Amino acid sequence: MSHFLHAHIREIIDLTDDELEILQGFFTKKRFRKRQFLIQEHQPVHEIFLIEKGILKSSIIDNTGKEHILQFAAPNWWISDFAGFFKQETSSLAVECIEDSEVYAVSYEDLNILCSKVPTMERFFRIKSNFGYVALQQRILSLMSKSAKERYEDFIQQYPGFIDHIPKQLIASYLGVSRETLSRLYS
Amino acid sequence: MSHFLHAHIREIIDLTDDELEILQGFFTKKRFRKRQFLIQEHQPVHEIFLIEKGILKSSIIDNTGKEHILQFAAPNWWISDFAGFFKQETSSLAVECIEDSEVYAVSYEDLNILCSKVPTMERFFRIKSNFGYVALQQRILSLMSKSAKERYEDFIQQYPGFIDHIPKQLIASYLGVSRETLSRLYS
């Protein structure tokens, strides 16, 4: 059984050994190399991913061909095209590895079956979703009301330790500033 | 028993009459007048609110004294300072009535007790939170990658029927554009 998976779940809820055994069967371990896509745009979204190793990003390409980064994710974070997944629509985002990565995948059908068989997992995903909601809310307020310098400081705080693992061009895209502006912020 | 409350819950999950009876006891009906605050900044956040009548907004005031609107909410929407509520911290947002409003309030403690007594409600709040997360994600992508005109069109689509009930100055603040820019968009 995966120690990582259990430790991750037990940060939020208590599960019996039997429940952990059931849970294990619903997650599939997958490995991806740097630059591989977990999700490509305009495709059905089958799974959400819990990251054990690596760094990933979700992003959108606008009409002018410019990439906008919605989220970075490192170990213990979840990533997917959540809109596509929860609404069972095709993806508008792409999810791609920034480094070689190992993840646990769970499908839409299995997520619902798991929550029926182990109702405490409903609570786990509710709490995770609540905290995800709060993080996005902070991101919106940051985009609306803060200077580039303050957004950069928020980034350092929200993604501690990421700064040395993510190409500067991607951080600039996440912050919505040019590469040159970013250089001025961290120099 | 409140027909509105039951209809709202039953849009997402099935509950028995007994469960609905239990649920009812956890919600308190409250009435507020236009311009009254449900939540003020820098206060403990005790409750989340389901709106039966009226229109409300949540917003933040930045360091320069400018208001930025995070969310509008109309009947069947939930509103609060969710960061303050879920993390049980003091509020950074204010929640205020744009029109006279009637809401159902549920406290943090009662939400957790309710989910223990009626586990299906855990599922209800998980699904609500998932859809809330997706809506915020769209808002971020809209802020990052779309023109003022496209953001205005997204607003019309996300808040159908709101446009005639919300002062134009507030819509401009939500979109992150000046009052003059907004006039050009809808004329």
Side-chain angles (χ1 to χ4, degrees):
Chain A
M1 284 201 285
S2 158
H3 175 72
F4 166 77
L5 190 56
H6 295 176
H8 177 81
I9 307 276
R10 281 182 158 156
E11 274 179 26
I12 307 283
I13 54 164
D14 289 323
L15 288 181
T16 66
D17 288 345
D18 285 351
E19 285 171 331
L20 285 173
E21 187 76 44
I22 294 171
L23 182 139
Q24 186 78 14
F26 286 90
F27 287 84
T28 309
K29 180 83 173 264
K30 298 191 172 184
R31 288 175 179 79
F32 297 91
R33 293 204 169 277
K34 182 175 172 171
R35 297 219 170 84
Q36 260 194 300
F37 285 90
L38 282 67
I39 295 174
Q40 302 207 51
E41 288 170 283
H42 314 304
Q43 304 290 326
V45 182
H46 298 298
E47 295 167 315
I48 52 176
F49 306 96
L50 168 65
I51 299 152
E52 183 172 12
K53 287 182 189 161
I55 296 185
L56 298 95
K57 66 178 164 81
S58 64
S59 63
I60 194 171
I61 309 288
D62 72 17
N63 296 335
T64 69
K66 190 175 168 194
E67 180 182 37
H68 302 273
I69 294 179
L70 179 68
Q71 188 197 346
F72 294 113
N76 275 303
W77 290 56
W78 291 77
I79 198 164
S80 185
D81 180 318
F82 291 107
F85 183 80
F86 290 126
K87 293 185 168 181
Q88 286 291 283
E89 295 173 349
T90 57
S91 55
S92 51
L93 297 172
V95 176
E96 184 184 356
C97 294
I98 296 176
E99 296 182 346
D100 292 355
S101 300
E102 295 181 20
V103 304
Y104 284 91
V106 58
S107 74
Y108 186 78
E109 294 72 22
D110 277 352
L111 180 68
N112 287 313
I113 298 171
L114 171 60
C115 286
S116 302
K117 287 201 179 182
V118 184
T120 325
M121 285 303 290
E122 199 92 73
R123 180 174 169 79
F124 172 82
F125 285 113
R126 170 170 75 87
I127 291 170
K128 276 286 171 195
S129 183
N130 289 342
F131 285 128
Y133 182 95
V134 165
L136 289 189
Q137 184 177 300
Q138 304 295 19
R139 179 92 193 278
I140 292 172
L141 293 172
S142 185
L143 279 170
M144 292 184 84
S145 69
K146 293 190 177 177
S147 68
K149 184 166 174 56
E150 290 169 320
R151 293 207 299 280
Y152 178 70
E153 286 159 2
D154 282 357
F155 171 80
I156 304 277
Q157 197 177 6
Q158 202 197 349
Y159 293 102
F162 275 45
I163 199 87
D164 299 327
H165 295 271
I166 301 178
K168 295 289 180 287
Q169 183 58 49
L170 297 182
I171 297 175
S173 166
Y174 176 89
L175 294 174
V177 300
S178 70
R179 181 71 182 80
E180 292 69 33
T181 301
L182 180 67
S183 297
R184 282 198 301 277
L185 295 178
Y186 71 83
S187 60
Chain B
M1 285 202 286
S2 159
H3 175 72
F4 165 77
L5 191 56
H6 295 176
H8 177 80
I9 307 277
R10 280 181 158 157
E11 274 179 24
I12 307 283
I13 53 164
D14 288 323
L15 288 181
T16 65
D17 288 345
D18 285 351
E19 287 172 331
L20 285 173
E21 186 75 44
I22 294 172
L23 181 139
Q24 185 78 15
F26 286 90
F27 287 84
T28 309
K29 180 82 173 265
K30 297 190 172 184
R31 289 175 178 79
F32 297 91
R33 293 203 170 278
K34 180 174 173 172
R35 296 217 170 85
Q36 259 194 300
F37 286 90
L38 281 66
I39 296 175
Q40 302 206 50
E41 288 170 283
H42 314 304
Q43 303 290 326
V45 182
H46 298 297
E47 294 168 315
I48 52 177
F49 305 97
L50 168 64
I51 299 153
E52 182 170 12
K53 288 183 188 160
I55 296 185
L56 298 94
K57 67 178 165 79
S58 64
S59 62
I60 194 170
I61 309 289
D62 72 17
N63 295 336
T64 69
K66 191 176 167 194
E67 180 181 35
H68 302 274
I69 294 179
L70 179 69
Q71 188 197 346
F72 294 113
N76 274 303
W77 289 56
W78 291 77
I79 198 164
S80 185
D81 180 318
F82 291 106
F85 183 80
F86 291 124
K87 294 185 169 182
Q88 285 291 282
E89 295 173 350
T90 57
S91 55
S92 51
L93 297 172
V95 176
E96 185 184 353
C97 294
I98 296 175
E99 295 183 346
D100 292 354
S101 299
E102 294 180 20
V103 304
Y104 283 91
V106 59
S107 73
Y108 186 78
E109 295 71 23
D110 278 352
L111 180 69
N112 286 314
I113 299 170
L114 171 60
C115 286
S116 303
K117 288 201 178 181
V118 183
T120 326
M121 286 303 290
E122 200 92 73
R123 181 174 168 80
F124 172 83
F125 285 113
R126 170 170 76 86
I127 291 169
K128 277 285 171 194
S129 183
N130 289 342
F131 286 128
Y133 183 94
V134 164
L136 289 190
Q137 183 177 301
Q138 303 295 19
R139 179 91 192 278
I140 292 173
L141 294 172
S142 185
L143 279 170
M144 292 184 82
S145 70
K146 294 190 175 175
S147 68
K149 186 169 174 54
E150 289 168 321
R151 294 207 300 280
Y152 178 71
E153 286 160 2
D154 282 356
F155 171 81
I156 304 277
Q157 197 175 6
Q158 201 196 349
Y159 293 102
F162 276 43
I163 200 85
D164 298 327
H165 294 271
I166 301 178
K168 296 290 180 286
Q169 183 57 47
L170 298 181
I171 296 175
S173 165
Y174 176 89
L175 295 173
V177 300
S178 69
R179 181 71 182 81
E180 293 68 33
T181 302
L182 180 66
S183 296
R184 282 199 299 278
L185 296 177
Y186 70 83
S187 61

